[in-house]
Amino acid sequence: MRGDSLVISSLADSLVRGVETIGDSVSETFFEPVIRLGVTGLARSGKTVFITSLVANLLDRGRMTGLVAQQEGRINAAYLQPQPDDTVPRFDYESHMSDLTGPEPHWPDSTRAVSELRLSFKARPAGLLAGLQGPRTVHLDIVDYPGEWLLDLALLEKSYEDWSQETLSRIEKRTEAAEFLAQARAADPASVHDEPTAQALAAAFSTYLNKAREAGFYDCTPGRFLLPGDLAGSPVLTFAPLPISDPSRRRTLQREMERRYEAYKSKVVKPFFRDHFSRIDRQVVLVDALGAIHKGPQAVEDMRRAMADILSAFRPGRNAWLSQLLLGKRVERILFAATKADHLHHLQHPRLTAIMEALTREARDRASFAGAETAALSMASLRATTEEMRSHNGSELPCVRGTLLDSGKQAAFYPGELPDDPAHLLAPARNGADTWLGEDYGFMAFAPAHLTLRPGDGPPHIRLDRAAQFLIGDRL
Ligand SMILES: Nc1nc2c(ncn2[C@@H]2O[C@H](COP(=O)(O)OP(=O)(O)OP(=O)(O)O)[C@@H](O)[C@H]2O)c(=O)[nH]1
Ligand SMILES: [Mg+2]
C-alpha cells in the first residue's frame, strides 16, 4: 500500500510540475504583457547611454517621479531577466553601467549591432482594477539598433542600376568621395569579374562612407558598410556603385556587383525588418540635434532629411514589401528625443524641443497619419553638467559647468542662444547656407561626472522619466 501511495504521489508531483511548466509558458504568452521598445538613432546619437540610464533608473526609481506608476507607488519590483530571443546579442548593461558610473567614469564604446535586454516589472494595475487584482508582471524588451539600418529600407525599391546612378550623382561634389569616384570611373563594369577589383572598389566605397559620416553627412547607406559586425569581408558587403551604361552581361564585374547588391537586400535588409523591426510596439528615435547645429546648416539639413527617411519606415504604406510584412500592425507610439540637453541651461530647453518638433514635423505628421501617437522632447540620459549664471559684459549668461573630455579640467560653458523660432535655423539650412548668420553655436564634450548614488536612486538625468512615461507608462 505504502509503495502504491508513493508511486501515486510522485506521479501527482510530476503531473503538477507538468502543469506548472505549461502554466508558465501559457501565462507568459497570454497573460503577461510584453512591450517591445525599439531604441534607435544615427551614429553617436546617444542610444547606448540612453538604454543604460533608462534601465538603471527603472531598477532604482528614486529619480523617476515623472513615471506615473512610480509616483502612485504601483511598481513593486523591477528586475532583469533572460531575454526571449536566443540569437540576438544581449545589451551589455553591466559593463556600460560600470563605464558610466565606475571610479573613473567614461562614455561607453560605440556599438555596432542590434542588441536586446529584458526588464520585468511587478506592478499593480491602476484605477478600478487595482483593488481586485494583485500585482502582475509586465515585460519590457528593449531593442537597440542603428538608425542607419532603417535608411536601407529605401534600397528595397531600387535596382542596382538606379542605386548606382543616384549614389554617384549625389556624392559627385563631395571631397570625401574623390578617391572612390576616381576608382569607380576607372573601373570597367563590362570587364570580366575578378575578386581583387571588387574588393578594392568596395573598400574604397566604405572608406568614403566612413569619411562622409565623420564629416557629418547622414545619407551613408548601405548601413551595414559602416556597421559590418560579423558580415565584414563577406560578399554581401563587397560591392559598390558603378557608372553603368549598358545592361549587364554574364560574368562581368557589373553583374556580380548587381548580384551582391540584391543579396544585401534579401539577406541583410529584409531579415532585419522581418525579425526585429516588425515586432516593435513603441519606438524612441534619438537625435543629436545640438551636435548638428554646432556643425552648421548643412549638417542640420542633412539630418532633417535623414530623419524624414528614417521615419518613412514608420509609414509602411509607402513600401509594398514592408506593408505586406506588417499586415496592418504598427508602432503605437514614437518619441523623438533631442539627447545631450545637459549641454544647455534649462532656460534653453524649450527652444531645443521646438527645434526638435520642427525638425521632425513633416515626418511626424506622416507617422500620425499612420495612427501612431508621437511626441518630441529634449532630454539628457546622463546629466554630466550643473547649471550656473555668469556675468559677461554686464549681462547674465546661463551656462553649464562640467569636466571637459579632452583636458579633464572643470569649465563653465555658454553654447550660444538658440533662436526662439526654429525657422531661423531650419530655413537657412534648407536654403543651403554655409554658416549660421550672427550666432555661433559652441559644443563642448563633457566627461560623465563622478557619481555617488544614494540607495534607490539611478544616475542623474533630464526628463528621462518623462520619456519613459510616454513610451511605456500607459502599460504599467
Ligand atoms: N553630456 C552628455 N553626453 C552624452 C549623453 N548621452 C550621450 N552623450 C555623448 O554622446 C556620445 C555617444 O553616446 P552613445 O550612447 O555611445 O551613442 P550611440 O548612439 O550608442 O553611438 P553608436 O553606438 O556609436 O551608434 C557619448 O560618448 C557621449 O559623449 C548625455 O546624456 N549627456
Ligand atoms: Mg551605441
Side-chain angles (χ1 to χ4, degrees):
M1 280 311 275
R2 260 196 100 102
D4 277 344
S5 75
L6 253 183
V7 168
I8 287 168
S9 78
S10 67
L11 239 182
D13 215 41
S14 66
L15 263 180
V16 170
R17 237 182 279 125
V19 169
E20 255 174 13
T21 342
I22 295 169
D24 272 359
S25 54
V26 167
S27 73
E28 160 98 36
T29 23
F30 292 108
F31 305 122
E32 293 183 351
V34 177
I35 316 166
R36 253 181 117 76
L37 169 65
V39 178
T40 199
L42 295 165
R44 313 311 288 149
S45 55
K47 302 178 287 293
T48 302
V49 178
F50 174 85
I51 298 177
T52 308
S53 183
L54 178 68
V55 169
N57 277 291
L58 288 172
L59 291 172
D60 289 304
R61 296 173 298 283
R63 295 185 208 258
M64 295 297 268
T65 41
L67 186 62
V68 174
Q70 171 62 19
Q71 211 177 75
E72 296 177 351
R74 291 190 285 103
I75 305 179
N76 292 8
Y79 46 97
L80 291 172
Q81 286 224 82
Q83 66 194 44
D85 300 287
D86 291 332
T87 55
V88 180
R90 179 177 183 275
F91 179 86
D92 195 357
Y93 167 71
E94 292 76 9
S95 13
H96 297 319
M97 189 61 184
S98 75
D99 286 345
L100 291 170
T101 60
E104 278 169 42
H106 55 272
W107 300 110
D109 289 340
S110 256
T111 34
R112 289 282 167 259
V114 66
S115 66
E116 182 179 317
L117 191 70
R118 169 167 280 197
L119 182 75
S120 301
F121 299 94
K122 284 247 183 287
R124 276 178 294 116
L128 281 177
L129 290 178
L132 303 173
Q133 289 182 350
R136 46 169 206 161
T137 307
V138 178
H139 304 289
L140 175 64
D141 290 343
I142 304 176
V143 184
D144 171 16
Y145 66 93
E148 284 82 355
W149 292 8
L150 293 181
L151 294 175
D152 280 347
L153 184 64
L155 300 183
L156 294 183
E157 289 164 325
K158 280 180 204 148
S159 67
Y160 174 67
E161 198 173 336
D162 292 347
W163 174 73
S164 284
Q165 268 162 15
E166 248 185 65
T167 309
L168 293 173
S169 71
R170 196 167 26 151
I171 69 179
E172 207 171 3
K173 296 211 181 68
R174 298 183 185 173
T175 48
E176 295 81 6
E179 246 167 79
F180 165 69
L181 286 171
Q183 272 193 49
R185 289 196 191 105
D188 176 8
S191 63
V192 174
H193 164 77
D194 75 301
E195 196 55 32
T197 311
Q199 280 176 7
L201 283 162
F205 184 54
S206 66
T207 306
Y208 151 71
L209 286 172
N210 279 294
K211 281 194 205 158
R213 191 184 53 180
E214 291 279 290
F217 290 107
Y218 292 99
D219 54 359
C220 304
T221 53
R224 224 54 70 94
F225 276 64
L226 295 165
L227 313 158
D230 51 10
L231 292 176
S234 65
V236 280
L237 295 190
T238 314
F239 66 92
L242 289 178
I244 294 166
S245 44
D246 298 316
S248 66
R249 271 172 292 126
R250 292 182 55 193
R251 306 194 26 227
T252 56
L253 181 61
Q254 174 181 345
R255 174 65 72 89
E256 184 57 18
M257 291 276 180
E258 180 171 10
R259 195 191 64 74
R260 292 175 184 191
Y261 170 82
E262 291 303 329
Y264 179 84
K265 291 180 357 186
S266 65
K267 303 222 166 85
V268 178
V269 182
K270 286 186 175 178
F272 163 70
F273 280 93
R274 192 186 56 224
D275 302 340
H276 300 292
F277 184 79
S278 69
R279 297 162 62 207
I280 286 169
D281 308 308
R282 308 285 164 104
Q283 177 69 52
V284 55
V285 181
L286 302 176
V287 183
D288 181 10
L290 285 172
I293 293 170
H294 167 64
K295 281 186 185 143
Q298 287 189 4
V300 168
E301 174 58 8
D302 225 51
M303 161 134 81
R304 188 190 65 77
R305 279 207 227 131
M307 291 314 291
D309 284 353
I310 281 187
L311 293 165
S312 67
F314 297 99
R315 198 171 48 116
R318 253 194 47 176
N319 185 297
W321 177 80
L322 190 59
S323 341
Q324 256 265 292
L325 179 73
L326 296 177
L327 286 176
K329 177 187 184 306
R330 61 183 154 230
V331 175
E332 301 155 333
R333 292 186 173 197
I334 310 174
L335 176 67
F336 302 96
T339 49
K340 315 181 196 180
D342 56 331
H343 286 91
L344 286 181
H345 193 281
H346 75 269
L347 290 175
Q348 294 217 53
H349 289 179
R351 294 182 175 190
L352 180 60
T353 306
I355 291 169
M356 194 61 205
E357 270 169 353
L359 196 64
T360 54
R361 171 141 318 129
E362 195 185 341
R364 284 196 303 133
D365 288 348
R366 292 172 182 166
S368 317
F369 193 62
E373 212 180 308
T374 63
L377 65 76
S378 42
M379 56 165 293
S381 312
L382 188 83
R383 182 175 198 152
T385 63
T386 53
E387 299 185 336
E388 68 184 44
M389 297 301 275
R390 288 179 79 95
S391 34
H392 178 76
N393 293 340
S395 61
E396 290 284 292
L397 292 183
C399 297
V400 291
R401 166 179 289 279
T403 311
L404 298 182
L405 198 56
D406 359 327
S407 65
K409 295 209 172 87
Q410 280 273 324
F413 169 68
Y414 176 68
E417 189 176 2
L418 292 177
D420 217 2
D421 179 356
H424 292 188
L425 285 181
L426 300 186
R430 227 181 242 257
N431 298 333
D434 284 327
T435 52
W436 302 119
L437 277 182
E439 193 80 43
D440 259 341
Y441 300 102
F443 192 81
M444 278 283 149
F446 292 108
H450 278 276
L451 298 174
T452 331
L453 300 180
R454 279 180 310 173
D457 273 3
H461 61 78
I462 300 172
R463 289 186 209 95
L464 188 64
D465 51 344
R466 297 256 309 275
Q469 174 59 29
F470 177 77
L471 290 168
I472 60 167
D474 62 314
R475 302 280 298 271
L476 289 178

